[in-house]
Structures are given as structure tokens and as C-alpha cells.
Amino acid sequence: MKHPLDLHRGRHRRRGFGRNELAGMLLAGIVGGLAWSMLPAAAPAPAAPAAAPRTAFGFCHSGGGTNCVVDGDTFRMAGDKIRIADIDTPETHPARCREEARLGAAATQRLQALLNSGAVTLHPIDRDTDRYGRKLRRVEVNGRGVGDTLIAEGLARPYRGRRMGWCV
């Protein structure tokens, strides 16, 4: 007589994946993937606006540097020479008369104070650079236009496509 554990020997079929099982799993994966791709995507969280880093500005004519003010409408920031695009300020080098020299010096000092008062943001305009290679930008400090401030204070005027004299 055979041992009771040997009764099923020979009749026992090895269980594994046959073609039908494999095809069924493949089909289930495809259907699951399609169903997953049709689920509505979660909206990404809105990114917080990046705060512009605060920078300290000196005067370029007394020490120069990476961040400095050249005159009332030109400054260097991170090594780039920036020309404020929407204003015209009195010339400082060379000034054509005593009044232009006085106003130019005042505009230069005021621009330095404005740039040092908060986060500086540069906005490109339709042209990237002027004929001297300066980057043309609208400039804001803490969200307020630097050009608007200088105009309101009588230290600049709107730029009209060319510089105009400040001597009377």
C-alpha cells in the first residue's frame, strides 16, 4: 500500500502562470492604467512669488562695484548696467549748466536712496539694450515705479525718445 502522502504524487499539477493568467493580468494592468490616467489631476498649489533679494547700492564714481548708481537714470546691479527706460534725468558728466549739475546730483542721490529702500524689480521693455549696451528696464522698488517717483519729485521727466536739455 502507498503512503497517504504519496497518493497525490503524479496527479499533482504545478500551479503557475499559464498563458490565460498572464493575458488576464496584462489586460487588468492596461485597464487600470487607462482608468488612472482618466482621473482628474490635482491642481498644483500656486507658487508664491519669488521675493527679489534686497541689495545695497553705493555710488559708482566713488568706489564702483557690482551694485552702484552711475547717475539719476543709470545704475549697475549684479554687474549689469541698467538704464531706467521710462525717464530722462539731468546729465551729471558733463552737465551743460549749473542748474543741470545741481538737479543731476540730486537725482543721482535720490536714485541711490530709492534703490536702497527695498526690493528692486526689473521689468523688460520692447528693446533689451540701448546703443551703449545698457539694459533698458522699468524699475520698481517695493512695487512702486522708480521713474514715477523721480518724475513726481521733479528730478526726472518722461522719456520721449530723445534726451532734452535741462538748462534754461
Side-chain angles (χ1 to χ4, degrees):
M1 170 154 193
K2 287 189 172 187
H3 189 277
L5 293 176
D6 291 336
L7 291 175
H8 297 290
R9 231 179 248 166
R11 284 189 290 161
H12 179 68
R13 209 170 86 169
R14 184 172 178 262
R15 291 295 271 168
F17 290 112
R19 270 187 254 168
N20 291 339
E21 291 89 359
L22 189 56
M25 288 184 70
L26 184 60
L27 183 61
I30 292 171
V31 170
L34 286 173
W36 181 262
S37 69
M38 291 182 186
L39 290 173
R54 192 146 179 193
T55 306
F57 290 86
F59 292 106
C60 296
H61 60 272
S62 60
T66 307
N67 303 307
C68 59
V69 175
V70 175
D71 60 22
D73 56 22
T74 306
F75 62 98
R76 289 187 182 276
M77 184 171 173
D80 290 326
K81 202 166 193 180
I82 311 294
R83 166 72 163 79
I84 302 174
D86 52 354
I87 62 169
D88 176 33
T89 60
E91 291 300 323
T92 57
H93 44 277
R96 293 178 192 95
C97 64
R98 189 170 294 174
E99 181 63 7
E100 184 173 48
R102 184 188 72 74
L103 285 171
T108 303
Q109 290 177 352
R110 183 63 174 130
L111 177 59
Q112 187 223 18
L114 288 168
L115 293 174
N116 283 325
S117 69
V120 176
T121 307
L122 305 177
H123 299 278
I125 64 164
D126 57 345
R127 281 182 39 214
D128 188 49
T129 58
D130 67 4
R131 64 182 172 165
Y132 303 108
R134 300 177 293 187
K135 293 187 179 292
L136 297 170
R137 301 292 185 264
R138 280 187 315 96
V139 180
E140 291 181 350
V141 175
N142 295 330
R144 181 165 177 177
V146 170
D148 296 337
T149 301
L150 292 172
I151 290 169
E153 294 175 1
L155 299 172
R157 59 182 162 221
Y159 185 68
R160 304 276 187 231
R162 66 181 181 91
R163 292 188 164 270
M164 296 170 43
W166 289 82
C167 299
V168 180

